[in-house]
Amino acid sequence: MTATDTTFWDARHRHIRTHIGKWQGGHDVRVRGRWLLRDLLQELSVTQLTVFNITGRVISKPLAAWLEKTVFFTSYPDQRIWCNQIGALAGSGQTSPVAAAAAGILAADSRAYGSKVQYVTIRLLDELREAHTAGASFAELVARFPLRHGVPSIPGFARPVKIADERLEPMRRFSAELGFVPGPNVNFVEGLAEHLRVHHQADMNAAAYACAFLMDQGFSATEVYRIRTTDVLSGVLACYVDLHDQPAQAFLPQTCTDVQYDGVAPRALPRSL
């Protein structure tokens, strides 16, 4: 049996090796070959720095503005949204805001909501657009998905309630105001959405549009997943603060009568001698 080559791990034994960054105490911080305090502090916004840290790309200010503002569409301060329920419960339990934020973000790491759904949607859209380019019709693409309440269940095209997504038009308008022209991926999802409107009384939601837009900007599914990890943070903390400043256990309190016991019936215990 050939011994495992451990060269890679040997080079890292008791050594931290990175191509990303290093703090040089008393001097500056190196970030992907650039100086953080001397250069990037003056050049980049927080969003630009985040994207640079994650991808190595310095994105334009309009694209950074798009990423910043579209958080408005992903983080409503509504306690019914499940990641916000975590924030509200944490506030009601008087936890720290850090614990609430971490738990709320983790609760949104889901294929149905949050940044994970954008990862799933981008991978799906990439596959669907490739099939469409190869000749598949919109009807054939839609037929791949099961019906749920009479509507094709397609990631990025579903909503908990069957109403128009109020975020779509403001998102389209904001993109145009920043000077962005619809690219091939946005045009594809708009065409697919039109097919759904005509034949299924359905539509895309904001996730499909946002994912297609970011695909047109050259981002991969993995990059979008990483960039948009904290999208729900604002709503989580809003709900945390709302309950933290109220009496303890103010979030959906229950009474003893709310518990319905269906276990073993009460039984007499033998008397002690």
Side-chain angles (χ1 to χ4, degrees):
M1 175 180 283
T2 303
T4 302
D5 183 0
T6 61
T7 303
F8 176 85
W9 294 277
D10 290 339
R12 287 157 176 76
H13 182 228
R14 298 183 179 177
H15 292 280
I16 295 175
R17 296 186 179 276
T18 175
H19 300 292
I20 301 297
K22 179 183 179 181
W23 170 57
Q24 300 185 18
H27 178 58
D28 207 332
V29 183
R30 202 69 172 160
V31 181
R32 291 186 177 271
R34 302 286 304 279
W35 292 114
L36 178 67
L37 305 181
R38 189 177 69 193
D39 301 325
L40 301 182
L41 179 62
Q42 286 74 35
E43 296 177 19
L44 305 184
S45 68
V46 172
T47 297
Q48 287 176 302
L49 178 62
T50 299
V51 175
F52 182 61
N53 274 325
I54 293 171
T55 69
R57 290 174 52 186
V58 176
I59 61 174
S60 67
K61 292 189 181 299
L63 182 52
W66 190 94
L67 286 168
E68 291 167 7
K69 288 291 188 179
T70 50
V71 173
F72 283 46
F73 306 116
T74 62
S75 193
Y76 293 171
D78 187 324
Q79 295 176 20
R80 294 172 297 178
I81 300 172
W82 75 68
C83 54
N84 290 349
Q85 289 184 16
I86 302 299
L89 184 63
S92 185
Q94 304 293 296
T95 73
S96 73
V98 175
I105 291 171
L106 186 58
D109 190 22
S110 160
R111 292 174 61 90
Y113 184 80
S115 55
K116 182 62 170 289
V117 77
Q118 297 179 62
Y119 172 83
V120 172
T121 300
I122 288 178
R123 297 197 62 176
L124 175 66
L125 291 179
D126 196 40
E127 177 186 331
L128 293 180
R129 182 169 171 254
E130 183 177 341
H132 184 63
T133 301
S137 66
F138 285 129
E140 290 171 325
L141 297 181
V142 170
R144 299 181 179 188
F145 298 91
L147 296 178
R148 188 170 296 171
H149 305 298
V151 177
S153 181
I154 309 174
F157 292 80
R159 295 205 84 191
V161 288
K162 195 174 180 180
I163 57 175
D165 193 328
E166 70 282 352
R167 303 168 294 179
L168 273 172
E169 194 51 42
M171 193 175 283
R172 291 188 185 105
R173 186 168 59 250
F174 183 59
S175 299
E177 289 171 355
L178 288 172
F180 292 103
V181 176
N185 288 292
V186 168
N187 288 332
F188 170 73
V189 296
E190 293 284 11
L192 181 54
E194 177 62 21
H195 174 85
L196 289 170
R197 286 192 291 270
V198 172
H199 298 283
H200 298 278
Q201 293 74 53
D203 203 344
M204 66 175 163
N205 62 31
Y209 177 88
C211 288
F213 176 91
L214 291 171
M215 291 169 73
D216 284 334
Q217 308 312 311
F219 290 111
S220 69
T222 299
E223 288 174 332
V224 171
Y225 187 16
R226 293 168 177 171
I227 291 167
R228 311 222 69 164
T229 295
T230 60
D231 273 9
V232 302
L233 179 58
S234 178
V236 169
L237 288 177
C239 295
Y240 165 82
V241 170
D242 187 22
L243 271 298
H244 189 276
D245 297 341
Q246 297 184 35
Q249 310 305 321
F251 182 63
L252 295 178
Q254 293 188 337
T255 66
C256 292
T257 56
D258 291 324
V259 179
Q260 296 185 11
Y261 177 72
D262 59 2
V264 176
R267 54 202 183 280
L269 295 177
R271 294 182 178 181
S272 58
L273 297 179

